[in-house]
Amino acid sequence: MKLNFLTAHELKNLLDSGRNTPTDILNDVKIRYEETESKVRAFARTPFFDQVKIRQDADGPLAQIPVAIKDNICSKGDLTECSSRILKGFRAPYDATVVEKLKNSGAIIFGKTNMDEFAFGSSCETSCFYPTRNPWDLDCVPGGSSGGSAAAVAADEVIMSLGSDTGGSIRQPASLCGVVGLKPTYGRVSRYGLIAFASSLDQIGPFTKDIRDNALLLKVIAGYDERDSTSVPMPVPDYLKILGKDVKGMRVALPKEYFVEGMDLEVRASLEEAKARLESLGAIFKEVSLPHTEYAVAVYYIIATAEASSNLARFDGVQYGFRAQSGNDNDSKGLISMYKESRGQGFGAEAKRRIILGTYVLSSGYYDAYYSRALKVRTLVKQDFDKVFSDFDVILTPTSPTPAFKIGEKMDDPLSMYLSDIYTISVNLAGLPAISLPCGFTKKGLPLGMQIIGKPFGEEDIYRLAFQYEQNTPWHKEKPKL
Ligand code: GLN
């Protein structure tokens, strides 16, 4: 088998045994890239292959493993454009903490992946470059906003990747592409060097082909960072240690608000099967209520757009990336017009929609009616979870209300696009960790995913349940035919 189809832990064994060399791995990954990238378009731009080299000195836990990173994570000297025209030509002057950690672990940074512009979206279609395609059906979206990172791993173009998740952007594409994606607890992974969308919600997290690799990659990137004031000074457990532990007696909550009339039948059936499987392994299930779930999407789109409008104010044509041509003319119409034209031409439609919405909810007169209220309801959402977690170890839900949808299907209907994150958004509002892992396929052969939500810093509970499920099901071994 070509080495690009393997996991990092499998490759490590081959390297340690001397059966393969780092060059073998990189060659297979490059060949795969050449063969499939024109179909999938997972990357924001062609990786610079003269820079993508094996690391002679590397001997860390990810030594010689090619890893892709989302285009909103800074890597020194590389274009980092958030798939937005307004950052055209922007080269990061430093490495994000996660990139520094990857490099220290011996990994090879393989390239930057395509995304929804500034991570606004659920389909990868708001990228200024092109839409990424789902490796399981090239007419379908890979999900978003980290669709490129999910598709690159699903298509075996890289071994693992990093994405960011503000309202579901790691878990939803992981679900739609049939890979594993984890959003860590808020504060677990440094956001230093992640170009901010909504600072109180954003977290960087790993995409992998299986749970063991996910635990491995999280261990590498997690930890306190004095350069991120919201990172939490707690020791990072050895997540790999929990993987062998059985799930007997684990208490799993099923929130009734997530299993409603009218939900996709194949999604529901896959969750029911997963429940039965986990019960047979000894997990104990009980229905619970998260009563404020119905407000989560509304609250999220107030808080996330408010923070986004503020974070995006810095992109004004002066310091970063793109400046409208008129701003460079000697007979320029003045500063304000340079700002307006640069922002007008630089941002896409979805970014503009969010800036307008966010500015509105923060404006005097509306601040109390929308923004302050949303913060209060956010607390209620968090308290719902606290209550459940006083009795349970984890919560099980679907990841996405539907399997992958067709490219173009939701682009003219922002509200229906916003509902793609109905199962993932509350987790960000509450700052919790959650994973999506494969749990079956539709009749048409599209992957389905399920979500396991943990307590704050409960990543070990998540991995424990997820690993036992994975080891007792075949889904993660399936590959798309490309
Ligand atoms: N789809 C959600 C949004 O559009 C979440 C995006 C994300 O997590 N970055 O905001």
Side-chain angles (χ1 to χ4, degrees), residues 72-75 80 94-98 190-195 204:
N72 60 354
I73 299 175
C74 291
S75 53
T80 304
Y94 58 83
D95 276 335
T97 297
V98 291
S190 171
R191 292 181 295 113
Y192 178 77
L194 169 69
I195 298 177
I204 296 172

Side-chain angles (χ1 to χ4, degrees), residues 172-349:
Q172 185 256 14
S175 174
L176 271 46
C177 289
V179 296
V180 180
L182 175 97
K183 179 203 108 59
T185 307
Y186 187 76
R188 178 76 290 185
V189 175
S190 171
R191 292 181 295 113
Y192 178 77
L194 169 69
I195 298 177
F197 160 3
S199 311
S200 78
L201 300 161
D202 299 340
Q203 265 298 279
I204 296 172
F207 281 101
T208 56
K209 301 175 193 180
D210 69 6
I211 301 294
R212 184 177 293 280
D213 265 14
N214 209 274
L216 184 67
L217 183 50
L218 178 63
K219 184 156 188 275
V220 166
I221 61 171
Y224 174 65
D225 179 10
E226 61 183 16
R227 295 174 295 187
D228 171 3
S229 61
T230 60
S231 90
V232 177
M234 270 178 54
V236 180
D238 184 352
Y239 298 113
L240 293 166
K241 284 222 174 97
I242 198 76
L243 300 186
K245 195 158 178 211
D246 67 40
V247 297
K248 286 200 186 70
M250 264 190 105
R251 297 180 58 84
V252 186
L254 292 170
K256 64 170 193 249
E257 290 79 4
Y258 285 56
F259 296 88
V260 288
E261 280 308 309
M263 82 185 273
D264 183 282
L265 292 178
E266 290 181 297
V267 171
R268 181 192 285 270
S270 71
L271 262 286
E272 273 163 13
E273 266 175 50
K275 171 176 178 249
R277 174 69 53 143
L278 286 165
E279 271 174 341
S280 76
L281 295 170
I284 300 161
F285 282 78
K286 209 173 152 200
E287 190 179 272
V288 296
S289 174
L290 295 168
H292 295 91
T293 299
E294 63 173 303
Y295 307 110
V297 172
V299 166
Y300 170 85
Y301 276 97
I302 292 171
I303 294 174
T305 56
E307 294 186 23
S309 69
S310 160
N311 277 323
L312 263 51
R314 75 193 68 173
F315 304 112
D316 57 5
V318 179
Q319 294 188 66
Y320 307 96
F322 173 80
R323 174 180 298 173
Q325 189 49 43
S326 63
N328 291 323
D329 294 347
N330 284 335
D331 61 347
S332 150
K333 292 167 253 163
L335 184 65
I336 298 297
S337 138
M338 191 277 289
Y339 288 155
K340 278 188 183 165
E341 288 181 28
S342 298
R343 285 170 70 82
Q345 295 167 29
F347 287 122

Side-chain angles (χ1 to χ4, degrees), residues 39 56 60 91 107 113 118 128 133 171 209 239 241 243 281 298 306 320 326 366 370-371 381 398 404 408 456 474:
K39 293 184 223 165
Q56 301 294 354
R91 283 182 193 277
T113 55
F118 282 105
C128 75
R133 290 164 184 276
R171 291 158 286 155
K209 301 175 193 180
Y239 298 113
K241 284 222 174 97
L243 300 186
L281 295 170
Y320 307 96
S326 63
Y366 294 104
Y370 295 108
Y371 185 67
V381 169

Side-chain angles (χ1 to χ4, degrees), residues 32-52:
R32 180 69 172 177
Y33 174 90
E34 299 293 350
E35 284 170 359
T36 53
E37 177 58 12
S38 61
K39 293 184 223 165
V40 178
R41 312 212 82 177
F43 286 81
R45 64 194 68 79
T46 311
F48 295 110
F49 285 123
D50 51 334
Q51 286 171 32
V52 179

